[in-house]
Amino acid sequence: MSTYLTILGFNSAIPTVNTSPTSQLLEMEERCFLIDCGEGTQVQLRKAKAKFSKINHIFISHLHGDHCFGLPGLIASFRLLGRDTPLHVYGPKGIKKMLDTIFTITETHRGFEVVYHELDKNYSEKIYEDARVEVYTIPLDHRIYCNGYLFKEKPKDRHLNMKEIAKYDEIETCDYHNIKAGKDFVLSDGYVLKNEVLTLDPSPCVSYAFCSDTKYLESVIPIIKNVTVLYHESTFLHDLKEMADYTGHSTALEAATIAQKAEVGKLILGHFSNRYGDLTVFTDEARTIFTNSFLPKALESVKI
C-alpha cells in the first residue's frame, strides 16, 4: 500500500486568492491523518475529494491561527454530515479549552466524541500507535509551544515466494500468515524450510516528518534521521535570517541544512512569507545545500 501526502495549504499567516494556510492530509497504511488545520481547510479537502469520514486523527502543531482556525468549522461540519465516531485531536495544552469555548458560545452540538490528547512535553514522545503506524512528536522552537510530527510505517510482513512455495504440497493457504510473519516451515519428514527461501523481502517502510513553525533547530536531526520525506518551514530567504530568528522561523537555507544533516530522502519547503511573489527563489536557495528540495503544489498528491 502506498503512502500519499496531499498539501492542502502551505502559505504563512494570511490566506490569499490562490493559497491557503498550513494544512496537510497524509494517507498512510489506509489511515487518513490531518496535519494542521488553517482557515479554508475543509474547502481544500473538498477540492481534494477527500472523504471526511476517514479522518479520525488530527494533529495540530501549535495554536497560532494559521494552523488551527479551520478546526472549529471542520468539526462542526463533521456533525452536520452525521458523524458518530470519535475524533482524536492532538495538540498543545489549551486546545480543548479553545474548542470547548467556541462550541459553548456558539451552541454547536457535536453529536460525537472529541478525544483530546494535549501535549506539553519538551522531548519527543510516541503519541499514537496501531498495528501499522506510529507517530512521534518533534519538539520545535517557535514563539509559543510547538511540535512537529513524525509518521512511521511499522515493519511489514515478508512477501510470499509463490514459485518456491508451489514446490511443496504440504504448504497450505492457512500456513501463509505464519510464513509472511517470518516463521520457517517444517515438513512432515522433519526437514526445515527456511523462511528466507519461502519469502521475499518486504516492501520498504516509509516515513514522513512535518516540521512546522520553528527556528533553526539541530535537535530535530536525530529524530528525523533518514526519513523518506521531510516538510520543513522556510518562511524567509537567508538574507532575512535576523527576521526569521526574531519571529521564530527558518530560512530556506536553514531548512536545507537540516535536510542535509538528517540525510533525508526529499525536502518539501513551505510556510512562505507573502512578501515573496516568485517562490522559486526558495528552491534556488535550498538547492545550494540540498539538491532534492522542492516547492509544494496545492492539492497535488505526492507519493512518499
Side-chain angles (χ1 to χ4, degrees), residues 6-25 34-48 64-70 210 213 231 269-274 279 296-300:
T6 303
I7 296 182
L8 306 170
F10 57 80
N11 71 301
S12 66
I14 302 173
T16 70
V17 172
N18 298 313
T19 58
S20 301
T22 304
S23 187
Q24 303 182 0
L25 183 67
L34 185 66
I35 310 168
D36 275 351
C37 193
E39 288 180 67
T41 291
Q42 60 178 312
V43 174
Q44 294 298 93
L45 285 168
R46 289 290 190 195
K47 290 179 180 179
H64 279 160
D66 55 328
H67 296 260
C68 67
F69 278 177
F210 170 82
D213 300 16
Y231 170 91
L269 303 168
H271 201 267
F272 311 115
S273 167
N274 288 336
L279 299 182
K297 295 181 181 179
L299 303 180
E300 179 185 37

Side-chain angles (χ1 to χ4, degrees), residues 227-244:
V227 295
T228 312
V229 175
L230 165 66
Y231 170 91
H232 195 292
E233 75 115 295
S234 54
T235 308
F236 301 104
L237 295 180
H238 208 66
D239 62 339
L240 292 180
K241 174 173 169 50
E242 185 175 338
M243 181 177 290

Side-chain angles (χ1 to χ4, degrees), residues 106-121:
T106 60
E107 298 186 10
T108 300
H109 305 289
R110 293 189 297 274
F112 60 91
E113 182 183 10
V114 178
V115 182
Y116 293 99
H117 305 264
E118 293 198 309
L119 310 171
D120 60 4
K121 303 293 190 299

Side-chain angles (χ1 to χ4, degrees), residues 15-258:
T16 70
V17 172
N18 298 313
T19 58
S20 301
T22 304
S23 187
Q24 303 182 0
L25 183 67
L26 180 68
E27 299 172 80
M28 176 177 279
E29 290 290 318
E30 298 184 317
R31 284 88 170 133
C32 286
F33 302 119
L34 185 66
I35 310 168
D36 275 351
C37 193
E39 288 180 67
T41 291
Q42 60 178 312
V43 174
Q44 294 298 93
L45 285 168
R46 289 290 190 195
K47 290 179 180 179
K49 298 182 180 180
K51 292 184 178 180
F52 282 29
S53 60
K54 293 187 70 175
I55 300 173
N56 296 316
H57 298 85
I58 299 177
F59 299 84
I60 302 297
S61 61
H62 63 296
L63 297 183
H64 279 160
D66 55 328
H67 296 260
C68 67
F69 278 177
L71 190 53
L74 180 62
I75 292 175
S77 291
F78 281 159
R79 181 191 71 82
L80 294 173
L81 292 170
R83 184 187 185 100
D84 57 10
T85 55
L87 175 69
H88 293 262
V89 176
Y90 303 77
K93 188 174 182 180
I95 194 168
K96 180 180 187 301
K97 180 179 179 181
M98 180 189 80
L99 290 172
D100 282 350
T101 300
I102 292 172
F103 296 142
T104 298
I105 293 173
T106 60
E107 298 186 10
T108 300
H109 305 289
R110 293 189 297 274
F112 60 91
E113 182 183 10
V114 178
V115 182
Y116 293 99
H117 305 264
E118 293 198 309
L119 310 171
D120 60 4
K121 303 293 190 299
N122 60 2
Y123 54 84
S124 180
E125 59 176 333
K126 184 188 294 184
I127 56 173
Y128 173 84
E129 181 178 21
D130 61 29
R132 297 182 182 179
V133 177
E134 51 191 12
V135 183
Y136 296 81
T137 58
I138 305 171
L140 301 174
D141 184 8
H142 192 40
R143 300 195 305 277
I144 61 174
Y145 180 79
C146 184
N147 281 302
Y149 296 102
L150 170 63
F151 300 81
K152 299 174 65 176
E153 290 181 349
K154 287 188 173 181
K156 301 177 182 181
D157 287 342
R158 297 181 64 80
H159 297 298
L160 296 174
N161 185 347
M162 295 307 299
K163 184 177 180 179
E164 192 67 27
I165 287 174
K167 298 177 181 178
Y168 303 95
D169 293 336
E170 290 184 40
I171 302 178
E172 301 180 2
T173 303
C174 59
D175 299 311
Y176 289 176
H177 176 76
N178 286 335
I179 295 173
K180 289 172 68 176
K183 295 184 179 180
D184 298 333
F185 187 85
V186 182
L187 296 174
S188 57
D189 62 3
Y191 184 78
V192 177
L193 295 171
K194 291 296 184 180
N195 187 265
E196 56 263 31
V197 174
L198 300 175
T199 61
L200 304 171
D201 288 340
S203 302
C205 296
V206 301
S207 53
Y208 175 63
F210 170 82
C211 286
S212 178
D213 300 16
T214 184
K215 295 180 182 178
Y216 178 78
L217 191 64
E218 292 201 344
S219 59
V220 308
I221 293 171
I223 303 172
I224 66 172
K225 191 76 171 178
N226 298 129
V227 295
T228 312
V229 175
L230 165 66
Y231 170 91
H232 195 292
E233 75 115 295
S234 54
T235 308
F236 301 104
L237 295 180
H238 208 66
D239 62 339
L240 292 180
K241 174 173 169 50
E242 185 175 338
M243 181 177 290
D245 289 341
Y246 178 74
T247 56
H249 289 295
S250 297
T251 69
L253 193 73
E254 290 174 329
T257 301
I258 292 293

